[in-house]
Amino acid sequence: MATDYDVIIIGGGPTGLAAAVYTGRSLLRTLVLEKQTVGGQIALSAAIDNYPGFADGISGYEFAEAFLKHAQRFGAEVRIGVGAASVARNDDGTFTVGLSDETSVTAKTVILAMGRHPRRLEVPGYDKLFGKGVSVCATCDGAFFRNVPVAVVGGGNSAVEEGHFLTRYASEINSIHRRDHFTAQKILIEEYLHDPKVKPVWNSVVEEIYGENEVDGIRIRNLTTDKTEDLPAKAVFVFIGWIPNSAMVKHLVRTDDEGRVIVNELMETGVPGLFAAGDLCVRPIYQLANVVADGVQAAVSVERYLEIKKHHDPNHGY
Ligand code: NAP
């Protein structure tokens, strides 16, 4: 069947936009669907300091804007505020993508680049006070909590990096982690713990976030002694990992126990014409540079797939 696009890229984060730069430059009719913010999670990052080539760092927002411009320069159509609601493979091997505005579009190939979302802390007060002091984004909400105590939960790169960002504003940071050490990169840990405002609270979990219309404090439990303690906090920043946004495609692709899409090194999902890349997938590391590379690989794989199809099936419209 004649399709609207050669490739539909679902997700306008760094992975999706990197793919769009390549497919656009290869003159493939490219549609990028981004239901929220171009740049995805990275757009919320205050400073990107470890993307090779940007010696002075760059803000997530600037980075995302530059990426968008680059993809558009090569002709990619980027629809912002429109998400994919469904993906179906048609009998002739093309794809129909249902959109959040209840229309649909078709393409010869699809690249899944929907990324992942932050894991919730399953404790009383989390939902009630989310947006009222409970946050998953220091860059977005940190400035609201000047000269007051805050808590950070988690021990990976996100917790340590975002916690470090919060030292600009908060009067003190109780940094709560269920282990007796952080697992973030050494350089990040050193910078973080060097700040006198940061008080690591080891071997501990949050049991409750309390307050009515704002956060008034938290109750933590020490896993070694089983003792509970109340700590002052006007905000709780939670960085305890991620959940892949794979629910929409679980009927089509293979996923691991955590719901991450399984791909090979060519970003192939095993379904002909359907590729997946970046944070949505099982990857050895989750760094900006390698999820961008994933997008590039997916785009090149799309090109090759279409070339092969055209060669073997010249009357098929490929
Ligand atoms: P992560 O590495 O998965 O760390 C999650 C943290 O949350 C761990 O400390 C984990 O503890 C803790 N945790 C998980 N579930 C919990 C729960 N229910 N209650 C309390 N604590 C819980 O996640 P991340 O820090 O967001 O990083 C994700 C990926 O992005 C990583 O690959 C990271 O390297 C990358 N990243 C890189 C940068 C950078 O390079 N600058 C910045 C941010 C993120 P356990 O260790 O005990 O499981």
Side-chain angles (χ1 to χ4, degrees):
M1 116 177 145
T3 55
D4 302 320
Y5 296 93
D6 294 315
V7 57
I8 294 173
I9 298 166
I10 306 179
T15 303
L17 291 175
V21 168
Y22 271 67
T23 56
R25 195 160 181 268
S26 298
L27 305 181
L28 298 179
R29 295 169 305 150
T30 301
L31 174 66
V32 180
L33 298 169
E34 170 49 58
K35 71 172 176 188
Q36 277 175 322
T37 319
V38 167
Q41 298 287 337
I42 205 72
L44 304 176
S45 184
I48 300 166
D49 232 5
N50 57 359
Y51 193 74
F54 290 83
D56 299 322
I58 180 170
S59 81
Y61 177 79
E62 273 179 284
F63 186 79
E65 282 293 302
F67 234 135
L68 172 64
K69 255 196 205 159
H70 200 170
Q72 287 173 327
R73 183 179 137 220
F74 289 126
E77 178 185 339
V78 183
R79 287 198 210 170
I80 300 167
V82 183
S86 63
V87 182
R89 190 161 188 269
N90 304 317
D91 290 343
D92 65 354
T94 62
F95 293 87
T96 298
V97 177
L99 305 183
S100 52
D101 62 8
E102 297 194 357
T103 61
S104 63
V105 279
T106 57
K108 294 169 185 169
T109 60
V110 171
I111 297 175
L112 305 171
M114 293 92 81
R116 53 189 184 164
H117 63 273
R119 177 175 288 126
R120 301 174 63 255
L121 196 56
E122 306 281 348
V123 300
Y126 182 92
D127 286 334
K128 185 171 93 175
L129 295 167
F130 197 92
K132 297 174 180 167
V134 175
S135 171
V136 292
C137 177
T139 325
C140 317
D141 299 325
F144 297 123
F145 301 97
R146 286 171 198 262
N147 305 316
V148 291
V150 305
V152 168
V153 187
N157 278 328
S158 298
V160 168
E161 203 169 59
E162 303 253 347
H164 188 227
F165 178 79
L166 289 168
T167 59
R168 297 177 189 199
Y169 305 111
S171 58
E172 63 169 323
I173 298 173
N174 280 305
S175 199
I176 298 144
H177 186 31
R178 60 189 183 185
R179 297 183 193 236
D180 63 1
H181 61 279
F182 294 131
T183 51
Q185 288 162 17
K186 254 193 177 155
I187 184 169
L188 298 176
I189 299 175
E190 269 172 27
E191 279 171 0
Y192 189 45
L193 292 181
H194 188 69
D195 195 298
K197 288 181 177 176
V198 177
K199 300 191 170 76
V201 182
W202 305 124
N203 302 311
S204 298
V205 291
V206 176
E207 287 218 314
E208 183 177 351
I209 302 169
Y210 48 82
E212 266 316 304
N213 286 314
E214 57 178 36
V215 173
D216 286 331
I218 57 172
R219 179 155 307 135
I220 59 161
R221 185 164 57 84
N222 185 302
L223 297 171
T224 320
T225 62
D226 210 35
K227 281 196 177 133
T228 58
E229 184 187 351
D230 287 355
L231 294 178
K234 295 308 287 177
V236 184
F237 290 88
V238 180
F239 307 104
I240 58 169
W242 301 87
I243 299 180
N245 297 323
S246 59
M248 183 178 67
V249 292
K250 280 210 165 145
H251 63 292
L252 276 176
V253 298
R254 284 190 311 139
T255 53
D256 74 352
D257 293 349
E258 295 173 34
R260 299 177 300 175
V261 175
I262 297 169
V263 286
N264 65 11
E265 60 187 12
L266 301 177
M267 304 294 130
E268 293 168 333
T269 61
V271 177
L274 185 61
F275 303 82
D279 284 351
L280 176 72
C281 304
V282 179
R283 310 307 298 138
I285 56 167
Y286 293 86
Q287 293 289 302
L288 184 52
N290 77 293
V291 299
V292 164
D294 273 7
V296 172
Q297 177 61 67
V300 173
S301 293
V302 160
E303 275 177 61
R304 292 202 178 137
Y305 172 83
L306 291 174
E307 271 305 309
I308 291 167
K309 275 281 198 191
K310 198 166 153 186
H311 187 70
H312 287 293
D313 202 0
N315 299 321
H316 200 277
Y318 276 95

